[in-house]
Amino acid sequence: MAKYALFDKNGLPKAFYDDRIHKNIPQEAIEITEEQWLEFINNQGRRKWDFNTNQVVPFDPDDLLTLDDWKTKLKAQIHQLRKQKENEGIIVIGSGGTNYQFDTSLTGRANTQGVLNSFQMGFLDPATDTVHWKFMDGSFADLTYDQLKELAGFALHYIEALFQAESAHYQAIDALANEDEAKAYDVNANWPSNQYQSQLLP
């Protein structure tokens, strides 16, 4: 009663055999213990065979990535991070210390621009009218034209800074020389702060 396994060149199992069930076991199959078989079964895709020690060892799928694979993967992570940060908004600190969470997503920026357009087209009076604005945390505030314009300016600055950071990451990733450098690359570094100090909000 023995178990066997076929492995690819990287030590990843391709097939398992049990001599109680299989009559034609390939000659190149390697005999493994019940414990080793269970290690593969319970950690599928995370274990490989070490041909030097004849032991089951941890396996990281990233170890098989080429440098080009790594660059593609890292750029995808950077792109997702930029979108995530864009949708998380900015924290605007009022002069009295109150925090306002302002929406910088594409939809949020479009809504802000729509209201600013209403002021600029004369539908609202910049000198006297306010808009009852809902922030991302669910709080409300009556904003003047100047306050909303300041917030829109912060949002524009933040989004531009995010795209600049994304571009800088892409350039740094393109310059990576080998897989070890790629594996050590920190996708969470060098992003802009999302906090702004308001001169107009209380």
Side-chain angles (χ1 to χ4, degrees):
M1 295 184 294
K3 284 186 166 55
Y4 298 83
L6 275 180
F7 300 103
D8 66 15
K9 64 179 182 179
N10 297 303
L12 299 177
K14 297 192 296 183
F16 294 107
Y17 301 91
D18 189 318
D19 63 3
R20 293 170 298 182
I21 302 172
H22 303 96
K23 300 306 179 184
N24 298 312
I25 299 175
Q27 286 188 338
E28 61 268 30
I30 295 174
E31 184 174 355
I32 59 175
T33 67
E34 181 82 12
E35 291 75 16
Q36 290 171 330
W37 175 74
L38 286 173
E39 185 75 7
F40 281 118
I41 296 301
N42 294 329
N43 299 278
Q44 295 186 35
R46 292 290 176 181
R47 296 293 185 270
K48 69 176 182 179
W49 185 255
D50 188 322
F51 294 105
N52 295 319
T53 64
N54 292 326
Q55 296 295 324
V56 181
V57 297
F59 167 70
D60 185 346
D62 285 346
D63 291 341
L64 298 182
L65 296 180
T66 66
L67 181 57
D68 285 342
D69 292 335
W70 268 110
K71 290 180 178 182
T72 299
K73 177 180 179 178
L74 289 170
K75 286 182 179 180
Q77 291 176 345
I78 292 297
H79 178 70
Q80 285 302 119
L81 269 173
R82 193 266 302 159
K83 291 177 63 177
Q84 175 185 325
K85 291 176 180 295
E86 180 179 336
N87 291 327
E88 287 174 349
I90 56 176
I91 302 299
V92 179
I93 305 170
S95 58
T98 301
N99 287 351
Y100 304 86
Q101 189 176 2
F102 191 67
D103 189 355
T104 58
S105 68
L106 186 60
T107 299
R109 301 197 310 273
N111 290 339
T112 303
Q113 188 58 52
V115 176
L116 288 174
N117 288 344
S118 295
F119 277 108
Q120 292 161 359
M121 295 175 68
F123 300 132
L124 295 169
D125 187 344
T128 58
D129 288 333
T130 61
V131 290
H132 200 51
W133 196 265
K134 185 177 182 179
F135 292 95
M136 291 182 73
D137 61 359
S139 64
F140 288 87
D142 292 319
L143 300 181
T144 66
Y145 171 70
D146 286 338
Q147 288 171 331
L148 188 59
K149 189 168 64 171
E150 181 190 51
L151 289 169
F154 291 153
L156 178 63
H157 177 273
Y158 181 61
I159 296 304
E160 175 62 20
L162 284 179
F163 276 103
Q164 288 177 352
E166 182 178 19
S167 177
H169 271 292
Y170 284 178
Q171 293 179 36
I173 291 168
D174 283 336
L176 294 172
N178 54 58
E179 288 84 354
D180 288 339
E181 286 186 6
K183 195 169 187 177
Y185 190 82
D186 187 359
V187 298
N188 294 303
N190 302 318
W191 291 98
S193 169
N194 73 333
Q195 293 195 6
Y196 290 82
Q197 179 65 55
S198 172
Q199 302 299 316
L200 302 177
L201 292 173

